[in-house]
Amino acid sequence: MPFTRVQLNDEFWAPRIAVNRNQTLRAQYAHLIETGRIDALKLEWKPGAEPVPHIFWESDTAKWIEAASYSLASHPDDELAAMVDHVIALLEQAQGDDGYLNVYYTVVKPGKRWTNLRDNHELYCAGHLIEAGVAHAQATGSDRLLNVVRRYADYIATVFGRDAGKKRGYCGHEEIELALVKLYRQTGDSKYLNLARYFVDERGQSPYYFDIEARERGDDPASYWAKTYDYCQAQHPVRELSRVAGHAVRAMYLYSGVADIVAETGDPELLAASERLWKHLCGANMYITGGIGPSSHNEGFSTDYDLPNLTAYAETCAAIGLVFWNHRLLHIDLDGRFADIVERALYNGTISGVSLDGKKFFYENPLASDGTHHRQDWFGCACCPPNLARLLASVGEYVYSESELGLAVNLYVQGTGQAVVAGDVALGIKQTTRYPWDGSVRIELTPSHAAEFELRLRIPGWCRSHVIAVNGKRADAVVESGYAVVKRTWDEGDVIDLTLDMPVERVVANPGVKADQGRVAIARGPVVYCVESADNPSGASNIELPNDAEFSTSFEPGLLGGVAVIEAPGLASDPATWGDTLYQASQAAMRKAVTIRAVPYFAWDNREPGEMAVWLPKA
Amino acid sequence: MPFTRVQLNDEFWAPRIAVNRNQTLRAQYAHLIETGRIDALKLEWKPGAEPVPHIFWESDTAKWIEAASYSLASHPDDELAAMVDHVIALLEQAQGDDGYLNVYYTVVKPGKRWTNLRDNHELYCAGHLIEAGVAHAQATGSDRLLNVVRRYADYIATVFGRDAGKKRGYCGHEEIELALVKLYRQTGDSKYLNLARYFVDERGQSPYYFDIEARERGDDPASYWAKTYDYCQAQHPVRELSRVAGHAVRAMYLYSGVADIVAETGDPELLAASERLWKHLCGANMYITGGIGPSSHNEGFSTDYDLPNLTAYAETCAAIGLVFWNHRLLHIDLDGRFADIVERALYNGTISGVSLDGKKFFYENPLASDGTHHRQDWFGCACCPPNLARLLASVGEYVYSESELGLAVNLYVQGTGQAVVAGDVALGIKQTTRYPWDGSVRIELTPSHAAEFELRLRIPGWCRSHVIAVNGKRADAVVESGYAVVKRTWDEGDVIDLTLDMPVERVVANPGVKADQGRVAIARGPVVYCVESADNPSGASNIELPNDAEFSTSFEPGLLGGVAVIEAPGLASDPATWGDTLYQASQAAMRKAVTIRAVPYFAWDNREPGEMAVWLPKA
């Protein structure tokens, strides 16, 4: 159900969306201007001038347009609309007569377009422009940018494909696949869907296109820094994949595009591959925060269960991509395991990427810190900030799903919605909850007329006990694939009360995860907690959690924008009592009783710098 | 007290010394032959031939001669003696008329001698030859090799120094400093002591000699891979040092040479520097095994408390160097803290470097393994195997110290010794003990005549309770600097019984050591234990040790050459019960009760390959 039909007025997301609109989108526009990304569209760059337009600058600008468009769709804002129009006008001017639209290959390396798909993000930038064009059209009803990106897509369709004279290439950084499916859905032109399918199916075929184009450039394919095309998911045909590998963001964007194609075509092989990849990712390669891709070396996956905390790469964009992919899988098969992943990433590893004031960003999201890792205003490679902006501006999209059968509530967020279910039933939804701080949810339904349909309420994977009442009477709903199903004739004023038991939990990791061995994480509901030195004067890394420690929870409205804080009695080593001693018999090593105070992981590094830890050793 | 006056007949060291003599020294000689190291001394290499003599080949050969000489000193062995004589004859022939003796610079790079002291180990090789020459003379009474190395040292003294026309250089890999002090002590010629002092005092002076010689070679000093001369302890003058840095073996050899100079000269600045370096090393940069130098990048030190277990470099040679250094410090100041380090390294991080059969060696000694780290027959850079051989062949040297004041017993090892104390008292010593498996020690003294002197019995740092009895009567000896002092008139047949309480201990690491946070190591007496998959079918990495688990100890004569095994009830995660699950609430995660079975760390990787862990998480 598109976010345009979902209004959030909760205390968790609504303020974040407002900060995103009022702070983040403005600040990012300023950065796009300051760094030359917008002016580069004037195509006035001359050799020797600084800055040199970069190969992926359009992607940053495009993601910002997409984010701003989403924001405009729910909150009219003349100033923001003017910024968007300014950029769109420049994009219109920057587009070539043939439809081509890429500053780098127009002014920095003219004549070299499509010569290095492997490394240079050309189709990736095109994909983000297409997403921006679709988003802008949906948000504003204007076809201006959509026409631009459609012309570009039409041109791309003349360049790539299996027909004689076309290049059998595909992009080293996936993105255009999912963008083309969006364009297909917006325009109804199956050419775009077919091109997306071509890009997916051609990927990883032998002989490798990246080998061929490298030789055409005069490069030795064997000198590829990443050694194999697993880095960009192009070592094997996509439908044969069974293990996540390589650059995590690229993988997520590819898998999202694959899921889109499955949704459109029902392709059973691609669906089976998706299922294999999902199991591999979520069973052995995902942080508890929904962060993925532990290695900085390839910004991506390494070996199963290799999930180091201090050095976790866990790029913000990768967690966002995980949301995109699992949201798509959820709409192929309404299974709570997909929504669980969406929720895990949304409440933890994605929004950790932005500061509470909306102005600073993490590229990497480690699960432990020695106090030296901090958010930054912007990055040379600035993919993450506008990616967060577009996620936040459209987060309402993840709350509900509608279908012939009825309505599914995927996430619990206070607000309203307008669905269409069971053919012709216009369904008003009002959700009242303090989720994620409280597990009580009230849903009031206002169908346009009394009608029988299913209401599917997601029972989160973290929840081990729940109660459902309809109009005050307990309802024993069967849970199917993670959703409690209440099927009945619904009428105006029907009220559903869902109570999700939400105790503080000690979470342990699979024994394969050596980094977390002997440690526990604290979680409550969907929120993963961490300890920071700001709350724990003994230092986050010196705290140990006794097995029998009892937790207490309190909501602190003035802290970190309003969060539930968890406390427990703990023990802390006292470095001062150790002096020069490096090893001691344990009975001689003094520890002191402390109150462990844990805050949501997503809110870390918003106060004075200090240590942080998610996984605590047992005392 | 030299090992030539100490005979060990215990069940721990004596069999190792025999294996060293019967297996290791033979196997290493075969490797020296097979790899061309011995034949290279014939100086017959021609360009294009393989193998090309390597810059540090002489050091391997020299350490082997030193080890073989030590062995010959206590165990006549015609076959071994013939091998030694064969090599010495080749060394005699390889020596130039001017005394120079280095194959690489004679046949591979003639005319280039002394052009790259920073990198090419030329004086390091000379130092090992000198050590070999001194050892051979002491062991056999023959001056053959001593004369060779003396001529070489005499030549070196004409090349290096502060006099006009001499090079103000020093070696990138320290070793010659301590060797020259040995040569001084053997010959009485103070020229060698002065040259050692020159090398120590010149080191790290500005302008840097390594800069100068690099420019003379046409190299840019700024292109030095290690960035600073901290790598070879030459960034700052030695007497200003206060933090261990750089390559760990180089540091230990330098510090040993410095201690030798302090012993000879009483230099207070060098002594103060030694004390600072000792505190920094032993307070923040040493594994519980006595392994040092955690980083493979520089084969050396990194940052304080950076002591990762799985990736520990902890080179065998560095632990051996730690023994050398602390033994020297002990003879400057009879303080148990130095003997504690000697003992820690001897029973753990040094002898872990050699397999029980004496034929395979570790270069790196990690404190955890995923089952892929194994000993090897030999190495291209083969410093560790002959270093272990010379340590084992001379280990008796560490047991006693003799002086005017009396006798100090530094280590408890069953055997006999012949000391000279209190001027003219020839003192027979008989030590009876099952140490390190048992803390009971009986010492029987047989002085040549009744005389008053001190018997100093080391009370190890790990021991928290001890009892001393003299001739069956409890003696309340004051403990000074880690030694219990029993001063009385000793006569033939006096018997001292020392009982060191030796329970199994849980040891914890300083909270600065993040790798060991929330974990405990198991130790008993001087021996650090580990768990191996060979004894723990659940896998070493899945085991957790409850805080209240009681240990039991049993000696198993047939296991790993005879070791005390420690068992305790523990818990193990069961990967099989996890399936595809990556995270679970802890109460849902099944663990099974297991019997943890720990063996001495030094004996690990002598059975089927598998995981190993020293630091166990708390259950």
Side-chain angles (χ1 to χ4, degrees), chain B residues 152-450:
Chain B
Y152 192 9
D154 291 343
Y155 165 68
I156 290 168
T158 68
V159 176
F160 295 98
R162 294 203 185 82
D163 303 333
K166 289 185 177 177
K167 293 176 187 292
R168 291 187 65 153
Y170 41 86
C171 192
H173 195 315
E174 305 91 321
E175 153 65 21
I176 192 156
E177 301 82 0
L178 72 87
L180 285 167
V181 179
K182 280 193 177 181
L183 187 59
Y184 157 69
R185 288 173 178 162
Q186 178 70 15
T187 64
D189 187 339
S190 59
K191 172 171 66 175
Y192 306 126
L193 176 62
N194 291 335
L195 186 57
R197 293 175 69 181
Y198 157 77
F199 280 133
V200 166
D201 283 335
E202 189 64 23
R203 190 168 206 89
Q205 299 294 340
S206 189
Y208 296 118
Y209 182 78
F210 294 153
D211 282 358
I212 295 164
E213 65 159 18
R215 288 194 202 96
E216 285 175 356
R217 285 195 309 270
D219 287 352
D220 178 5
S223 66
Y224 181 44
W225 74 271
K227 312 288 186 203
T228 80
Y229 299 129
D230 280 330
Y231 171 68
C232 47
Q233 299 79 42
Q235 188 70 21
H236 308 285
V238 174
R239 56 188 68 231
E240 294 175 12
L241 293 176
S242 59
R243 299 175 63 83
V244 296
H247 189 278
V249 180
R250 298 177 195 224
M252 291 306 106
Y253 286 8
L254 170 65
Y255 304 166
S256 295
V258 167
D260 285 334
I261 291 169
V262 170
E264 295 300 332
T265 67
D267 188 316
E269 283 185 2
L270 288 179
L271 179 61
S274 298
E275 180 67 24
R276 292 193 300 270
L277 292 166
W278 190 92
K279 283 195 170 149
H280 186 237
L281 176 69
C282 300
N285 292 282
M286 179 184 68
Y287 287 98
I288 190 173
T289 55
I292 56 173
S295 169
S296 62
H297 170 68
N298 62 350
E299 300 189 306
F301 299 104
S302 53
T303 54
D304 288 1
Y305 302 115
D306 175 37
L307 295 165
N309 292 307
L310 188 67
T311 61
Y313 199 74
E315 185 180 338
T316 303
C317 282
I320 293 170
L322 184 69
V323 171
F324 293 163
W325 182 36
N326 278 274
H327 187 226
R328 283 162 167 82
L329 293 173
L330 184 68
H331 285 161
I332 295 169
D333 177 12
L334 190 80
D335 190 326
R337 65 191 166 118
F338 302 125
D340 283 347
I341 301 293
V342 168
E343 185 180 72
R344 184 186 290 278
L346 279 180
Y347 282 97
N348 301 289
T350 56
I351 57 171
S352 58
V354 57
S355 60
L356 294 178
D357 68 4
K359 294 179 178 173
K360 287 178 180 287
F361 304 91
F362 278 142
Y363 202 102
E364 301 162 42
N365 293 271
L367 278 76
S369 172
D370 60 6
T372 60
H373 185 69
H374 305 297
R375 293 184 187 85
Q376 299 176 38
D377 291 343
W378 191 249
F379 303 92
C381 176
C383 48
C384 299
N387 222 350
L388 270 167
R390 66 175 179 156
L391 178 78
L392 285 165
S394 60
V395 75
E397 186 168 345
Y398 304 98
V399 180
Y400 303 105
S401 300
E402 61 189 359
S403 79
E404 281 297 304
L405 294 171
L407 180 78
V409 187
N410 305 315
L411 298 180
Y412 299 106
V413 186
Q414 178 168 295
T416 55
Q418 300 79 41
V420 179
V421 298
D424 65 344
V425 181
L427 178 64
I429 311 158
K430 182 181 176 191
Q431 198 183 145
T432 308
T433 180
R434 293 194 63 240
Y435 199 94
W437 310 125
D438 187 277
S440 298
V441 181
R442 168 163 288 192
I443 295 169
E444 295 167 67
L445 296 182
T446 309
S448 51
H449 55 84

Side-chain angles (χ1 to χ4, degrees), chain A residues 146-403:
Chain A
L146 183 66
N147 287 337
V148 169
V149 303
R150 227 181 139 165
R151 282 182 60 217
Y152 193 9
D154 291 341
Y155 166 67
I156 290 169
T158 68
V159 175
F160 295 97
R162 293 204 187 83
D163 304 331
K166 289 186 177 178
K167 292 178 188 290
R168 291 188 66 154
Y170 40 87
C171 192
H173 196 315
E174 303 92 322
E175 154 65 22
I176 192 156
E177 301 81 1
L178 71 88
L180 285 167
V181 179
K182 281 192 177 179
L183 188 59
Y184 157 68
R185 289 173 178 162
Q186 179 69 15
T187 63
D189 188 341
S190 60
K191 172 171 67 175
Y192 305 126
L193 176 62
N194 290 336
L195 185 57
R197 293 175 68 182
Y198 157 77
F199 280 134
V200 166
D201 282 336
E202 190 64 22
R203 191 168 204 86
Q205 299 294 341
S206 188
Y208 295 117
Y209 182 78
F210 294 153
D211 281 359
I212 295 163
E213 67 160 16
R215 287 194 204 96
E216 285 175 356
R217 287 195 308 271
D219 286 352
D220 177 4
S223 66
Y224 183 44
W225 74 271
K227 310 290 185 201
T228 79
Y229 298 129
D230 280 330
Y231 171 68
C232 47
Q233 299 78 42
Q235 187 70 22
H236 307 284
V238 174
R239 56 189 68 231
E240 294 175 12
L241 294 177
S242 58
R243 299 175 64 80
V244 297
H247 189 277
V249 180
R250 298 178 195 223
M252 291 306 105
Y253 287 7
L254 170 64
Y255 303 167
S256 295
V258 167
D260 285 335
I261 291 170
V262 171
E264 296 300 332
T265 67
D267 188 317
E269 282 184 4
L270 288 179
L271 179 61
S274 297
E275 179 67 23
R276 291 192 301 269
L277 292 166
W278 190 91
K279 283 196 171 150
H280 186 236
L281 176 69
C282 300
N285 292 282
M286 179 184 67
Y287 287 99
I288 190 173
T289 56
I292 55 173
S295 170
S296 62
H297 170 69
N298 62 349
E299 301 190 304
F301 299 105
S302 54
T303 54
D304 288 1
Y305 303 115
D306 175 38
L307 295 164
N309 293 305
L310 188 68
T311 62
Y313 198 76
E315 185 180 337
T316 302
C317 284
I320 293 170
L322 184 69
V323 171
F324 293 161
W325 182 37
N326 278 273
H327 187 226
R328 284 162 167 82
L329 293 174
L330 183 67
H331 284 163
I332 295 170
D333 176 13
L334 190 80
D335 189 325
R337 65 190 165 119
F338 302 125
D340 282 347
I341 301 293
V342 168
E343 184 179 73
R344 183 186 291 279
L346 279 181
Y347 282 96
N348 302 288
T350 56
I351 57 171
S352 57
V354 58
S355 60
L356 295 177
D357 68 3
K359 294 179 179 175
K360 288 177 179 284
F361 305 91
F362 279 143
Y363 203 103
E364 302 163 39
N365 293 271
L367 279 76
S369 171
D370 60 5
T372 60
H373 185 69
H374 305 297
R375 293 185 187 83
Q376 298 177 39
D377 291 342
W378 191 249
F379 304 92
C381 175
C383 48
C384 299
N387 221 349
L388 269 167
R390 66 174 178 155
L391 178 78
L392 285 164
S394 59
V395 74
E397 186 170 346
Y398 303 99
V399 180
Y400 304 105
S401 300
E402 60 190 1
S403 78

Side-chain angles (χ1 to χ4, degrees), chain A residues 336 340 412 457-463 466 468 479 482-484 498 500:
Chain A
D340 282 347
Y412 299 106
L457 300 170
R458 175 171 157 262
I459 308 303
W462 54 258
C463 179
H466 70 277
I468 296 172
V479 177
Y483 283 78
L498 168 67
L500 300 165

Side-chain angles (χ1 to χ4, degrees), chain A residues 279 281-289 305 307 344 464 505-520 540-544 547 573-575 578-589 591 611 615 617-619, chain B residues 279 281-289 305 307 344 464 505-520 540-544 547 573-575 578-589 591 611 615 617-619:
Chain A
K279 283 196 171 150
L281 176 69
C282 300
N285 292 282
M286 179 184 67
Y287 287 99
I288 190 173
T289 56
Y305 303 115
L307 295 164
R344 183 186 291 279
R464 287 183 290 135
E505 298 269 20
R506 286 176 170 77
V507 181
V508 291
N510 187 298
V513 184
K514 301 309 174 197
D516 301 336
Q517 193 211 357
R519 292 176 178 250
V520 296
S541 74
N542 291 327
I543 284 177
E544 298 182 0
N547 290 330
S573 304
D574 185 354
W578 276 77
D580 289 340
T581 313
L582 192 45
Y583 303 102
Q584 294 189 58
S586 64
Q587 61 268 54
R591 294 191 294 176
E611 292 181 338
W615 291 95
K618 290 176 275 191
Chain B
K279 283 195 170 149
L281 176 69
C282 300
N285 292 282
M286 179 184 68
Y287 287 98
I288 190 173
T289 55
Y305 302 115
L307 295 165
R344 184 186 290 278
R464 288 182 290 136
E505 298 270 21
R506 285 175 171 77
V507 180
V508 292
N510 188 298
V513 184
K514 301 310 175 198
D516 301 336
Q517 192 212 357
R519 293 177 178 249
V520 295
S541 74
N542 291 327
I543 284 176
E544 299 183 359
N547 290 329
S573 305
D574 185 353
W578 276 76
D580 288 340
T581 314
L582 191 46
Y583 303 103
Q584 294 188 58
S586 65
Q587 61 268 54
R591 294 191 294 175
E611 292 181 338
W615 291 95
K618 290 177 276 191

Side-chain angles (χ1 to χ4, degrees), chain B residues 5-25:
Chain B
R5 289 194 270 119
V6 179
Q7 302 78 39
L8 306 182
N9 59 23
D10 70 323
E11 56 185 300
F12 190 92
W13 292 107
R16 285 186 160 70
I17 293 167
V19 166
N20 188 52
R21 180 175 66 247
N22 297 324
Q23 303 296 336
T24 307
L25 287 172

